[in-house]
């Protein structure tokens, strides 16, 4: 499947570009004022006491700034940053090797922490609480556990599925931040800042046009900005205004509400092929020619958030708003859903 312009997950080649656009301090981190204020207090208190900050859990959909916040925590504390991910830690020994190599005060960022293996997870409990790991040497009845002291560190865990974290792990985090989708005005500020970094002559109206189509997600906003830049350079000698911005985003099939080809295909399939639903997820995925996971993780959350789609025990149902957005007339029964 081609990578959608509004997929909130990062492609590997995007990471270098994203790094250049990340804010370096909490003062520059826009769009999550509650999280910024609370986290700033946690870090300031730790600096005042001369201790490492509490372990931090960052929860929320992809693309909202969890990795950026981990980098900011390390920067604000003047500490080194170690980065790993749950899928990369499949054995307790993998985690022990990382933890035993930490220096005092280091920030250890563990992305997708909910995907870590259970043995490593149990080792992490002890490391977070007592700053110690027990390394088992030998096998069977003769195996012995050798305790290894590790220096105080701050774990920053990131997850898109906090419900999958076991309670013993969640309880060991001193501070939990739930990141929300961004308002259009905050996204406009982020886009304008990124445009300055990239050297794109973007005006406020064009910045708002990009923001409104970005599904509340900074990663998508920055990606759309780069697509607009490319379009303007090739078609308009680098000139950017609101009309050119809208033309570029229409070319990439991102409509004024942020729906892309897949979103519209899902809605059209439910409305025209299945009379508005209900329809099962696997049947829906086959009808639009996509993987079930793609429909469930990329299209559905946004369509539900807009009020275009409902998940029911019998399957997915299009609301009246979805019919109206597609310019279709809903059956009388559809008046029961949506407003």
């Amino acid at each position: 499947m081609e990578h959608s312009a509004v997929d909130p997950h990062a492609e590997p080649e995007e990471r270098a570009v994203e790094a250049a656009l990340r804010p370096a301090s909490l003062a520059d981190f826009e769009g999550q004022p509650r999280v910024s204020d609370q986290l700033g207090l946690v870090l300031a208190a730790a600096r005042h006491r001369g201790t490492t900050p509490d372990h931090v859990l960052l929860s929320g959909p992809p693309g909202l700034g969890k990795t950026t916040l981990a980098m900011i925590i390390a920067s604000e504390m003047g500490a080194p940053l170690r980065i790993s991910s749950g899928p990369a830690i499949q054995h307790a020994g993998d985690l022990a090797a990382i933890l035993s190599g930490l220096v005092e005060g280091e920030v250890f960022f563990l992305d997708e922490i909910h995907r870590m293996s259970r043995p490593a997870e149990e080792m992490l409990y002890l490391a977070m609480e007592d700053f110690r790991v027990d390394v088992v040497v030998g096998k069977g009845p003769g195996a012995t556990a050798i305790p290894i002291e590790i220096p105080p560190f701050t774990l920053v865990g990131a997850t898109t599925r906090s419900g999958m974290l076991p309670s013993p792990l969640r309880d060991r985090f001193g501070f939990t931040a739930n990141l929300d989708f961004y308002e259009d005005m905050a996204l406009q500020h982020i886009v304008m800042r990124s445009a300055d970094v990239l050297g794109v002559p973007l005006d406020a109206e064009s910045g708002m046009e990009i923001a409104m189509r970005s599904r509340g997600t900074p990663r998508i906003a920055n990606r759309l900005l780069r697509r607009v830049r490319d379009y303007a350079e090739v078609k308009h000698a680098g000139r950017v205004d609101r009309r050119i911005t809208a033309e570029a985003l229409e070319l990439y099939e991102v409509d004024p509400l942020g729906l892309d080809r897949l979103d519209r295909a899902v809605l059209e399939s439910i409305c025209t092929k299945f009379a508005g639903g209900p329809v099962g997820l696997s049947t829906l995925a086959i009808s639009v020619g996509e993987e079930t996971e793609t429909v469930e993780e990329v299209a559905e959350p946004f369509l539900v958030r807009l009020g275009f789609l409902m998940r029911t025990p019998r399957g997915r149902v299009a609301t009246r708003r979805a019919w109206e957005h597609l310019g279709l007339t809903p059956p009388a029964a559809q008046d029961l859903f949506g407003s």
Side-chain angles (χ1 to χ4, degrees):
M1 186 196 83
E2 64 182 82
H3 189 64
S4 167
V6 292
D7 187 337
H9 300 87
E11 287 288 276
E13 62 270 17
E14 283 187 301
R15 299 198 181 276
V17 179
E18 283 191 350
L21 300 179
R22 296 186 195 278
S25 68
L26 278 176
D28 294 330
F29 187 79
E30 292 199 58
Q32 304 283 342
R34 176 181 50 81
V35 170
S36 295
D37 290 346
Q38 293 173 349
L39 185 56
L41 189 62
V42 170
L43 300 182
R47 286 196 299 269
H48 180 73
R49 292 192 301 267
T51 61
T52 57
D54 285 341
H55 302 302
V56 175
L57 178 63
L58 303 174
S59 173
L64 298 189
K66 296 185 290 295
T67 302
T68 298
L69 276 176
M71 294 179 173
I72 287 175
I73 290 171
S75 175
E76 298 263 338
M77 296 305 297
L81 176 68
R82 185 80 56 100
I83 298 177
S84 188
S85 68
I89 300 176
Q90 291 305 307
H91 306 283
D94 300 333
L95 181 62
I98 295 174
L99 294 175
S100 60
L102 297 176
V103 300
E104 185 168 353
E106 190 162 355
V107 175
F108 175 32
F109 176 55
L110 190 52
D111 198 10
E112 296 185 274
I113 191 172
H114 60 277
R115 296 177 60 188
M116 188 169 46
S117 70
R118 182 53 58 88
E121 189 180 282
E122 291 173 353
M123 175 179 281
L124 192 58
Y125 295 161
L126 191 62
M128 293 173 71
E129 206 157 63
D130 299 333
F131 298 112
R132 190 184 91 226
V133 293
D134 290 340
V135 178
V136 178
V137 178
K139 294 182 178 180
T144 57
I146 301 175
I148 298 177
E149 299 295 324
I150 56 177
F153 70 99
T154 297
L155 174 68
V156 179
T159 179
T160 56
R161 300 185 175 184
S162 58
M164 292 180 66
L165 288 181
S167 295
L169 181 56
R170 272 202 309 270
D171 293 345
R172 282 170 168 79
F173 286 98
F175 174 70
T176 299
N178 296 300
L179 276 64
D180 299 320
F181 288 102
Y182 289 59
E183 299 292 335
D184 288 346
M185 189 64 71
L187 282 174
Q188 183 196 35
H189 292 160
I190 290 170
V191 169
M192 299 303 290
R193 178 184 175 278
S194 296
D196 285 341
V197 173
L198 296 174
V200 180
L202 197 73
D203 59 31
E205 283 192 345
S206 301
M208 180 56 75
E209 187 71 26
I210 293 173
M212 291 189 301
R213 302 186 189 218
S214 297
R215 303 162 81 114
T217 305
R219 173 175 291 148
I220 295 174
N222 285 328
R223 185 185 297 141
L224 295 182
L225 169 65
R226 297 196 302 275
R227 301 279 169 92
V228 168
R229 174 197 61 185
D230 295 345
Y231 180 86
E233 287 177 356
V234 173
K235 299 282 189 179
H236 297 278
R239 184 170 61 86
V240 182
D241 59 24
R242 186 163 192 164
R243 180 184 62 81
I244 291 170
T245 299
E247 283 178 8
L249 297 177
E250 291 296 334
L251 176 66
Y252 288 108
E253 299 183 286
V254 181
D255 78 9
L257 289 183
L259 276 68
D260 73 345
R261 179 199 60 79
L262 174 60
D263 301 315
R264 288 190 295 274
V266 167
L267 293 180
E268 286 170 359
S269 181
I270 296 175
C271 292
T272 61
K273 296 179 183 177
F274 302 102
V279 56
L281 176 61
S282 58
T283 302
L284 181 58
I286 292 171
S287 74
V288 298
E290 293 287 355
E291 296 292 330
T292 303
E293 294 78 8
T294 303
V295 174
E296 186 174 27
E297 295 179 12
V298 177
E300 275 197 351
F302 184 60
L303 294 176
V304 171
R305 187 156 61 91
L306 282 183
F308 284 176
L309 193 66
M310 290 178 60
R311 289 171 170 163
T312 73
R314 295 176 56 206
R316 277 60 178 172
V317 177
T319 68
R320 189 152 59 90
R321 291 190 64 194
W323 288 83
E324 291 169 352
H325 184 72
L326 296 175
L328 302 173
T329 303
Q334 288 298 321
D335 288 339
L336 297 172
F337 306 107
S339 56

